[in-house]
Amino acid sequence: MNMIFLGPPGAGKGTQAVQICEALNIPQISTGDILRNAIKNGTETGMKAKSYMDAGQLVPDEILVAIIRERLAQDDCANGYILDGFPRTIPQAEALEGIADIDLVLELNVSDEVLINRLSGRRVCPACGATYHVNMLNGSTKCEKCGAELIQRKDDAPETVLNRLKVYHDQTQPLIAFYEARGKLKKFDGAKDQQEVYAEIMEAIGTNA
Ligand code: AP5
């Protein structure tokens, strides 16, 4: 099954996608991770993307569409995948219709107030990619999975978070109506407990499989 996670920054797209992809043995395709790796590796794409990402702005559509076109052509996508963070604009969604058949769009809905709290407290592992909230860490600054020192994402700085939320409401939220009109959207309350959200999504996937 080919799926999309749609939702604002901090809604839990990455958290849920990791768990679901593991359960279904399909790849999680996170455009944020792909871009952050490109920056880390100093590629041309990374150099183009960096200033947009640091400011909480969207990277230009043509760069993202090229990334997705190349990624979806790889063998591991043959049995399904989850797109985490793509599409994020109507032109990206229109371009995707020419690249892939999407079966289901999973929308996670969370209020801005909760999102600001989640993102300002998020810590990530630069080595293995694990994600935490400071409230879960009991004062520790190390990754529970691999022991590396946790970091705060640059775009989780408070003023950048507000900008990312504005960008989401202006440019990405219209995708909800886009996919609703195609009968592909399922909505979830992303403010619920992580495992509860996971169980609801797995049930929805099961009934659509
Ligand atoms: P990206 O990396 O995709 O960031 P994002 O969409 O802003 O999403 P996040 O990773 O911040 O949030 P998430 O929903 O995955 O939440 P998470 O699971 O981590 O994109 C970064 C940038 O790249 C963009 O700003 C843009 O510049 C660029 N970009 C990427 N794709 C692009 C595209 N298609 N077009 C143009 N530009 C693009 O959870 C957040 C926190 O909440 C964690 O601490 C987690 O532990 C906690 N949490 C999760 N679920 C729960 C729960 N149920 N209850 C309590 N806490 C929870």
Side-chain angles (χ1 to χ4, degrees):
M1 193 183 286
N2 302 334
M3 293 176 275
I4 292 172
F5 257 120
L6 190 58
K13 304 182 295 293
T15 303
Q16 294 296 336
V18 166
Q19 218 178 334
I20 292 162
C21 286
E22 205 173 291
L24 302 180
N25 197 22
I26 56 174
Q28 171 204 9
I29 301 174
S30 158
T31 43
D33 287 348
I34 292 172
L35 291 168
R36 279 185 288 277
N37 275 334
I39 292 173
K40 203 158 102 185
N41 296 329
T43 68
E44 200 185 326
T45 298
M47 286 189 289
K48 282 185 194 154
K50 188 174 185 319
S51 59
Y52 295 99
M53 292 178 75
D54 285 351
Q57 298 292 344
L58 295 184
V59 176
D61 289 337
E62 61 273 17
I63 296 179
L64 269 299
V65 172
I67 288 174
I68 286 297
R69 191 184 296 282
E70 193 184 314
R71 181 65 186 88
L72 295 187
Q74 290 174 19
D75 291 347
D76 66 338
C77 294
N79 296 321
Y81 48 80
I82 291 183
L83 290 177
D84 164 10
F86 184 95
R88 255 175 154 102
T89 63
I90 296 284
Q92 288 182 17
E94 288 170 347
L96 182 61
E97 291 192 316
I99 300 173
D101 286 326
I102 297 299
D103 301 298
L104 194 57
V105 179
L106 308 157
E107 188 224 336
L108 289 177
N109 187 15
V110 182
S111 71
D112 284 6
E113 198 187 339
V114 172
L115 295 171
I116 290 166
N117 174 278
R118 281 188 189 175
L119 293 175
S120 56
R122 175 166 60 180
R123 296 294 179 270
V124 293
C125 175
C128 75
T131 298
Y132 303 90
H133 190 278
V134 282
N135 292 345
M136 306 155 57
L137 290 166
N138 296 322
S140 165
T141 58
K142 307 260 190 235
C143 177
E144 286 170 9
K145 292 187 179 150
C146 73
E149 191 70 24
L150 299 173
I151 57 164
Q152 182 170 33
R153 261 170 56 173
K154 203 166 180 181
D155 62 351
D156 281 347
E159 61 285 3
T160 314
V161 166
L162 293 180
N163 197 30
R164 286 162 66 200
L165 289 174
K166 182 174 181 329
V167 166
Y168 173 78
H169 292 306
D170 291 349
Q171 299 189 54
T172 307
Q173 215 164 2
L175 292 177
I176 295 173
F178 181 94
Y179 285 114
E180 224 160 18
R182 285 156 178 73
K184 295 192 169 171
L185 193 83
K186 288 238 183 251
K187 292 171 181 268
F188 300 89
D189 179 359
K192 288 185 181 173
D193 172 79
Q194 193 178 311
Q195 287 311 322
E196 212 176 321
V197 180
Y198 172 72
E200 287 180 10
I201 294 173
M202 288 303 278
E203 198 186 330
I205 292 173
T207 52
N208 276 268

